[in-house]
């Protein structure tokens, strides 16, 4: 609820990494690991900002932030085929009006 993200290992109750205030205090409403690239995850905050984290590139801050300005995004999920090496990865956004939007991720964050 405060924008903090914690990375846990299943065998420990303590986080391996913790990023406080990663969304400047906005609640995180969805977070998903990339289906095609293990070190990348995406977070959606309550202000319709999508943060892209690539832990191999920078483990302190997101490597990119994209604001969806047209309408409030209420949730997101990812689509892709991890068994294929084509690097196709998409973000499915559900907007408050019920509209669904699909955006494809740059290859540098999608290729295995």
């Amino acid at each position: 609820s405060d924008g903090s993200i914690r990375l846990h290992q299943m065998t420990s109750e303590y986080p391996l990494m913790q990023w406080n205030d990663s969304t400047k205090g906005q609640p995180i409403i969805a977070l998903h690991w990339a289906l095609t690239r293990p070190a990348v995850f995406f977070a959606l905050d309550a202000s319709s900002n999508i943060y892209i984290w690539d832990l191999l590139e920078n483990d302190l801050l997101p490597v990119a932030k994209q604001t969806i300005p047209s309408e409030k995004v209420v949730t997101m999920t990812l689509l892709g085929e991890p068994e294929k090496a084509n690097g196709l990865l998409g973000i499915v956004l559900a907007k408050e009006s019920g509209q669904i939007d699909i955006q494809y991720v740059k290859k540098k964050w999608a290729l295995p």
Side-chain angles (χ1 to χ4, degrees), residues 33-41 54 56 107-112:
W33 284 102
L35 302 171
T36 57
R37 189 173 173 98
V40 174
F41 66 89
D54 184 343
L56 296 178
K107 293 272 188 195
K108 70 179 185 177
W109 296 312
L111 285 173

Side-chain angles (χ1 to χ4, degrees), residues 20-98:
N20 294 321
D21 198 33
S22 63
T23 60
K24 298 189 179 14
Q26 287 296 315
I28 296 172
I29 57 176
L31 191 140
H32 296 284
W33 284 102
L35 302 171
T36 57
R37 189 173 173 98
V40 174
F41 66 89
F42 301 83
L44 170 68
D45 74 13
S47 294
S48 300
N49 296 303
I50 299 171
Y51 300 85
I52 302 173
W53 293 77
D54 184 343
L55 300 178
L56 296 178
E57 186 177 326
N58 186 343
D59 64 358
L60 298 176
L61 300 168
V63 294
K65 175 185 169 186
Q66 177 68 47
T67 301
I68 310 299
S70 60
E71 185 180 346
K72 182 176 173 137
V73 177
V74 295
T75 193
M76 76 170 182
T77 193
L78 301 179
L79 60 88
E81 297 176 295
E83 64 279 355
K84 293 187 179 177
N86 63 5
L88 185 64
L89 180 65
I91 301 176
V92 181
L93 305 170
K95 297 185 177 179
E96 200 168 46
S97 66

